[in-house]
Every structure is written in C-alpha cells, then in structure tokens.
Amino acid sequence: MPIVVSSLNYTYMPGSTQEYKALTDISLTVRDGEFLGIIGHTGSGKSTFVQHLNGLIQPTSGTVSVDGFQMADKKQRIKGRALVGMVFQYPEYQLFEETVEKDIAFGPRNRGLSDKEISERVRESMELVGLQHETFREKSPFELSGGEKRRAALAGIIAMRPKYLVLDEPMAGLDPKGRKDILNTIRLLKKRTKCGIIMVSHSMDDIASEADRIAVFNGGRLERIGTPGEVFADSEALLKMGLDIPQVSRLALELRQRGVEVPEGLFKLEDMKDFLLRRLRRV
Amino acid sequence: MFKNITLGQYFPGNSAIHRLDPRTKILLMILYIVVVFMVKQLSLFLLCAVFVLGVTLLSEIPLSYLLKSLRPLKWLIVFMFFLNVFLTPGERVLFEYWKVKITLEGLRQAAFISLRLIMLVSGTSLMTLTTTPIALTDGLERLLSPFKRVNFPAHELAMMMTIALRFIPTLMEEADKIMKAQLARGADFETGGIIKRAKGMIPILVPLFISAFRRADELAMAMESRCYHGGEGRTRMRVLKFMPQDALAALTVAFLGILIVIMQAFVF
Ligand SMILES: Nc1ncnc2c1ncn2[C@@H]1O[C@H](COP(=O)(O)OP(=O)(O)O)[C@@H](O)[C@H]1O
Ligand SMILES: [Mg+2]
C-alpha cells in the first residue's frame, strides 16, 4: 500500500503577522518500494512537505495517509509513523547517548523490542552504514568525524526498519567521500530491504541515476512529477526555476544548441556515452 | 510547538512612536508605571486607558495585537479578580449565600486590581512592541553608562542581552527540530509520571546544550577574530540623539501624571 497525499496545503503561523503559505495544493502518491526524488529551490517547501509524511506536522487542509492509516487521527498516526523513517537535514544533531550503540538502539527500544532483537538490529544497521560494529559501538557519538556522525544517525533510523525512508538532503555539507558513503548505504538498503525511499537532494546527478520518479517543487507547489526521463527532458524549464540539471542533460542541451540532434530523455552517463560513440563513428 | 511563543514581540513599523529614542521610551515607561501606581480612584484609570489608546493609535499597531499581549495574563487577571471579590472585607453586601458574600467594596477592589494590571501590561507592551530588541539594549546601555564610573559593566550587560535575545529564536527553532527528530525515533514526551517525563527530556536537552555551547564557541571565535575587546573606544553606526518629539512625549506622560495627581487631590 502506498503513501497518499491529497490536496495538501500548509501555512506556517496562521493568523499572525508572519503567516506564510509554504505549500499549496500538493497531491501525490509514493508507491511501494519506489525511489522518489524531490528537487526544488531552497525555500520551495521540500522540508515542510516531507515532514507531513510521518505526521510530524499536520496539514492546514488536505490529507495524508500511510498504508491506509490516516495521519490526522492520533491513534492511526502512531501506526503510520512506525512505517516511515525520517532522516532530517543534519541528523547528527539528534545524537545524544553515551555510546554509538546506545544511540542507535534508542529508536528500537522505544518500540519496545527485546534486547536480543535490538542488539541484532544495531549490528545490522551499523554494518549497512559502514561503521564497524566492534570499533565503533563503545565510542561516544561526539568523538566521531562529521561523516561518521551522519552515518551513525542514519543507522539509528535504519534500525527501526521503516517501510519508507525519508531523507532530507542527507548529503548536505559532506565531502565527496562522505557523500558517496551515504549514497552507497541508501543503495544497499534499498536492494536489501526493498523499502521505499523519498530523498530530497540538490545533487541532480544522484537523483537522475537513482530515482524512479522525481517530484519538482517550486514556490510551494508541485510543479511536475514523472520519471527522470520526463522531468529532465524539459531541462530549460528546470533551469528557469533556478535549478541545476544533471551534467549529461547539460551536455545534451549544449549539443542541441550547436545543432546536434540529441534524442530526448538522455540523462544517464552510459546512455550519453553510447550515443556519442555511435554518432562519432557515423561522422 | 515552541514556535507559538513570541518573545520580544516587536511589531515592525515606522510610526512616530517607533521613531522615538529608545532611552525616552524606557524612561517614560518607568514614569508611566509610577503614574499607574499613583492612581487610587477607579475612574482615573479612564485617563490611563485614553493614554494607552492614543499611543496605540499613533503607533499604528492594531488594537487586537495589543490585546494579544494580555492573553498570557488572562488567568492571572481572572484569579486576582475573584480572589479580591471574595476576600475583601466590606459592609455593603450585594449578594450572600451560605458562606459566600459579595460586597460592593470587594467588587470595587477586584476591578481596581485587575484594571491596574491591565494598564501596566498594555502600557509596557507598547514599548516592546514599538522598539527593536537591539534598540532597547542600546538605549539601556546608554542609560546605564554613567554608572561605568563605579565599575558597573554597562556595555557587557547590554552585549549579553543582545546576544541572548539574538539566540532565543534560534534555540527555539533548534529545540523544535530536535524534538521532531526524536519524535520520529519514537520518543515519548507526553505520557507517564513525572520521572519518566523528565527522563524523556534528555534526548532533547543533551543535543540542545551541545549545540548551544558549539554556537557560543563559534560566536566567541568570530567576535575575537574581528578584534572585539569590549566597549572601550567603540564607535556606533547608529548614534542615539534626542529629538524634539522626545520632549513632546515626555511632556505628554508628565501631563498625564500631573492630571492624575490634581484630580485625585481636588476632585475626589
Ligand atoms: N518553522 C517555520 N516557521 C515559519 N516559516 C517557515 C518555517 N520553516 C520553514 N518556513 C518557510 O517555509 C518555506 C519553505 O521552507 P522549507 O520547507 O524548509 O523549504 P526547503 O526545504 O525546500 O528549502 C520557506 O520560505 C521558509 O522560510
Ligand atoms: Mg530543506
């Protein structure tokens, strides 16, 4: 069963002088096991939107349901929330325990799992994020490096075994190696658990290569949603919104401007390579 | 959740009241408080109310917004009102049932105390509504600077206030964010006894403190690398200067005070 969002509106601080309409009439469905990429300008409402998915904020109007659980209802929300893992921007700021192991166990413990089950999950999720269990489990989370902290925080969410994992700019502020580690973890997780992934990111290349579908936010509205091929086909519209496009799309755009006929929907490096080679041979 | 608390609640604007020197506003607020405490007659609060309404009109702040500043106090006002209604001894009984007795004196005393509180809060709110926190601390520093001679740390005090005010919204936002993150991990802040709830706060407080210390550290570093070394020899971008309007404002409040003293002495 999917996550269904329909006609969602959200206003920050309604009725005050700082009233701000952050989201307008958003409807979309996150299918089972799909990788949904969310892109959009800073301030376009991406973070506000994803927080609705596990009921941390309630829509001003409209509804959100997770696998049929209505998130507006207090009892159903608890069940729905258990299905959706949420990795906030800069999740390392949520670390608080004395050891990495205890911190990762916080979520599963709140679910009331047995000690045996908990330690199994801790071990498994540490391995998934690439933190060696023996080396890191007794360490204080505050003595880790930036990238390690991020991975420890991520492990804390993975250990809850969510059916959908929401990641809000999970690679922001990391070095290239750190970014790669996180991306690999997400790939591995998706392959192993078949969970749905909803990822907000500014890296168009990552989104283009990983996502099944992409949602484009602009000024609090859902501008478009579709496969990467569909969304990146109209690269110029994205550029007009002040967004980046994948490097391959940029190349295609430049080639087209110079009179080379590049087929639509070319955004993957491999496809572009094939196309160029074929084209060069022909000339 | 923490978002609904408005602190320092400045109402942006450029009215005559907004433009007054913050020092004038601080001093006149103190004078106004004294005047309100001088009022001994219920009907004289009418004068104060006229004054407050006049200032509100001049400041272009919607009246509803001013009333909002009274909202946190509504239970206190209600409580004080009933306390005085029932507990003030009096002769002229209006209503009696079993042990409950309401007298005219009690009713009068209750109205008096409530009105005094309302006048105090609405009058002082007008100052914080029309003055930015920065201007306020600036004014305070200047007012306190004569005491520097006796080693009173006026500048440091003002700087601390400025920094604290600057970081209150930031920390609230952060607390909100951390709380949401822990909620998403299944934390529970709402059920259980007092000990369980206190323990439930740990996952919020630890990250919040760590981040506050980190911010303090970074700010100290940034200030030092820009050669901050206290108030000595520091010049200002915006120099405070008394204007004719400030004298006019002072005269108005003084007039209110004198009017009240005279009416109290001769009319009643
Ligand atoms: N807690 C808040 N209170 C008021 N306005 C907010 C709050 N959080 C975000 N906003 C505003 O809502 C808009 C959308 O923010 P956000 O969802 O964080 O955007 P994004 O994640 O796409 O950068 C922004 O203009 C922002 O200023
Ligand atoms: Mg964001």
Side-chain angles (χ1 to χ4, degrees):
Chain A
M1 281 218 277
I3 300 182
V4 182
V5 178
S6 65
S7 332
L8 182 152
N9 285 279
Y10 188 77
T11 307
Y12 278 110
M13 294 184 272
S16 81
T17 46
Q18 296 116 307
E19 180 173 307
Y20 184 84
K21 181 135 207 239
L23 293 173
T24 309
D25 200 24
I26 310 273
S27 299
L28 64 79
T29 302
V30 185
R31 298 171 193 151
D32 260 349
E34 92 169 319
F35 192 129
L36 178 70
I38 297 183
I39 60 177
H41 210 273
T42 308
S44 59
K46 306 178 299 291
S47 299
T48 309
F49 173 72
V50 294
Q51 285 177 47
H52 283 88
L53 298 180
N54 73 347
L56 284 170
I57 52 184
Q58 293 298 320
T60 309
S61 71
T63 59
V64 179
S65 77
V66 176
D67 281 13
F69 296 115
Q70 291 299 328
M71 299 306 268
D73 181 89
K74 218 171 171 181
K75 279 204 188 106
Q76 296 192 35
R77 185 188 315 156
I78 295 172
K79 295 205 180 112
R81 186 175 282 165
L83 298 172
V84 184
M86 176 87 201
V87 181
F88 279 85
Q89 212 168 345
Y90 300 104
E92 52 274 29
Y93 294 148
Q94 76 197 24
L95 299 169
F96 72 99
E97 275 285 11
E98 295 153 61
T99 67
V100 171
E101 185 174 35
K102 275 194 199 166
D103 206 284
I104 297 174
F106 180 69
R109 187 148 283 143
N110 286 329
R111 289 277 156 76
L113 300 174
S114 70
D115 283 352
K116 184 161 160 286
E117 171 85 22
I118 289 174
S119 69
E120 204 170 285
R121 286 189 179 200
V122 170
R123 185 183 295 269
E124 177 198 80
S125 54
M126 282 182 77
E127 186 231 326
L128 258 169
V129 299
L131 291 176
Q132 265 203 329
H133 187 254
E134 280 315 307
T135 335
F136 283 95
R137 70 189 193 106
E138 289 295 333
K139 278 200 179 172
S140 156
F142 303 107
E143 60 184 76
L144 304 182
S145 78
E148 287 163 356
K149 268 188 200 159
R150 177 88 46 109
R151 280 186 273 156
L154 184 55
I157 311 293
I158 291 175
M160 298 170 77
R161 296 218 181 128
K163 187 174 167 212
Y164 303 92
L165 183 65
V166 181
L167 301 128
D168 193 355
E169 299 191 30
M171 275 118 34
L174 291 181
D175 56 16
K177 163 128 195 340
R179 305 171 70 93
K180 216 168 172 187
D181 288 341
I182 299 284
L183 200 60
N184 281 336
T185 298
I186 297 170
R187 272 194 201 122
L188 193 62
L189 183 74
K190 178 142 195 310
K191 208 170 105 197
R192 270 212 210 154
T193 66
K194 308 266 182 294
C195 69
I197 305 248
I198 298 115
M199 179 166 99
V200 178
S201 177
H202 285 294
S203 162
M204 297 297 157
D205 292 307
D206 296 342
I207 292 273
S209 65
E210 303 300 323
D212 300 318
R213 285 195 306 157
I214 300 176
V216 186
F217 278 67
N218 191 23
R221 287 173 186 277
L222 181 61
E223 195 76 28
R224 62 186 57 187
I225 181 164
T227 61
E230 287 161 5
V231 169
F232 290 125
D234 195 1
S235 305
E236 274 154 88
L238 293 181
L239 288 173
K240 237 180 245 146
M241 277 178 237
L243 289 174
D244 221 359
I245 53 176
Q247 285 173 9
V248 174
S249 302
R250 194 172 287 270
L251 180 61
L253 205 62
E254 297 269 331
L255 285 173
R256 251 175 242 142
Q257 276 166 7
R258 283 167 176 69
V260 184
E261 268 182 44
V262 186
E264 296 281 327
L266 204 61
F267 58 91
K268 280 193 178 150
L269 192 60
E270 280 301 307
D271 299 346
M272 185 53 123
K273 192 182 88 185
D274 289 347
F275 167 75
L276 285 178
L277 284 177
R278 254 184 289 127
R279 165 95 202 188
L280 284 172
R281 279 194 202 112
R282 210 174 39 171
V283 169
Chain B
M1 295 153 214
F2 293 90
K3 281 283 165 189
N4 304 326
I5 309 167
T6 41
L7 260 164
Q9 30 152 276
Y10 172 66
F11 188 91
N14 192 27
S15 68
I17 306 292
H18 282 83
R19 284 194 308 259
L20 284 178
D21 191 301
R23 289 171 295 178
T24 313
K25 283 190 264 189
I26 295 171
L27 289 176
L28 292 185
M29 185 191 75
I30 296 169
L31 186 58
Y32 172 80
I33 293 173
V34 173
V35 168
V36 169
F37 272 102
M38 282 191 324
V39 172
K40 296 281 181 299
Q41 279 294 329
L42 202 54
S43 50
L44 285 180
F45 278 125
L46 203 63
L47 281 177
C48 296
V50 168
F51 172 76
V52 168
L53 281 180
V55 177
T56 314
L57 271 180
L58 270 178
S59 66
E60 293 161 14
I61 292 173
L63 196 61
S64 61
Y65 206 79
L66 182 68
L67 292 180
K68 246 191 226 166
S69 63
L70 288 172
R71 204 184 290 158
L73 287 171
K74 77 179 166 215
W75 293 118
L76 184 67
I77 292 172
V78 168
F79 179 71
M80 297 254 284
F81 185 87
F82 281 105
L83 206 66
N84 278 288
V85 165
F86 294 124
L87 295 183
T88 312
E91 303 296 313
R92 282 179 281 173
V93 179
L94 297 177
F95 173 87
E96 194 165 2
Y97 178 76
W98 189 46
K99 276 190 183 169
V100 182
K101 193 166 81 175
I102 294 178
T103 66
L104 193 62
E105 287 86 350
L107 217 52
R108 196 168 267 205
Q109 178 70 8
F112 185 81
I113 296 285
S114 316
L115 273 175
R116 178 187 272 174
L117 203 63
I118 291 172
M119 286 302 140
L120 279 177
V121 175
S122 55
T124 47
S125 299
L126 273 175
M127 190 196 65
T128 50
L129 282 170
T130 58
T131 321
T132 61
I134 298 294
L136 217 57
T137 45
D138 217 19
L140 207 62
E141 178 180 351
R142 290 292 297 274
L143 284 176
L144 292 173
S145 57
F147 300 105
K148 273 184 194 160
R149 296 237 182 93
V150 289
N151 280 335
F152 182 80
H155 171 78
E156 285 73 10
L157 202 70
M159 183 54 99
M160 269 158 56
M161 267 177 70
T162 312
I163 292 175
L165 283 170
R166 156 69 186 77
F167 277 102
I168 285 171
T170 311
L171 284 181
M172 295 236 183
E173 209 168 285
E174 201 130 294
D176 192 50
K177 228 194 233 154
I178 294 169
M179 196 156 167
K180 277 184 187 161
Q182 307 298 26
L183 268 177
R185 293 214 274 167
D188 178 9
F189 310 120
E190 266 136 33
T191 61
I194 204 159
I195 294 180
K196 179 159 175 275
R197 278 196 210 197
K199 264 194 178 158
M201 293 306 283
I202 292 176
I204 299 178
L205 291 180
V206 172
L208 196 59
F209 269 95
I210 287 174
S211 126
F213 283 128
R214 187 175 42 85
R215 276 178 200 283
D217 233 22
E218 281 168 7
L219 183 67
M221 194 91 83
M223 283 167 82
E224 238 165 63
S225 61
R226 285 192 259 173
C227 304
Y228 175 81
H229 57 89
E232 211 106 329
R234 214 165 157 234
T235 56
R236 307 184 159 273
M237 193 157 110
R238 238 170 303 162
V239 181
L240 295 180
K241 229 161 120 189
F242 283 120
M243 298 297 225
Q245 300 91 288
D246 292 298
L248 198 63
L251 279 177
T252 314
V253 181
F255 179 69
L256 175 75
I258 292 168
L259 202 62
I260 283 174
V261 170
I262 291 178
M263 287 183 85
Q264 229 142 219
F266 296 104
V267 183
F268 298 102

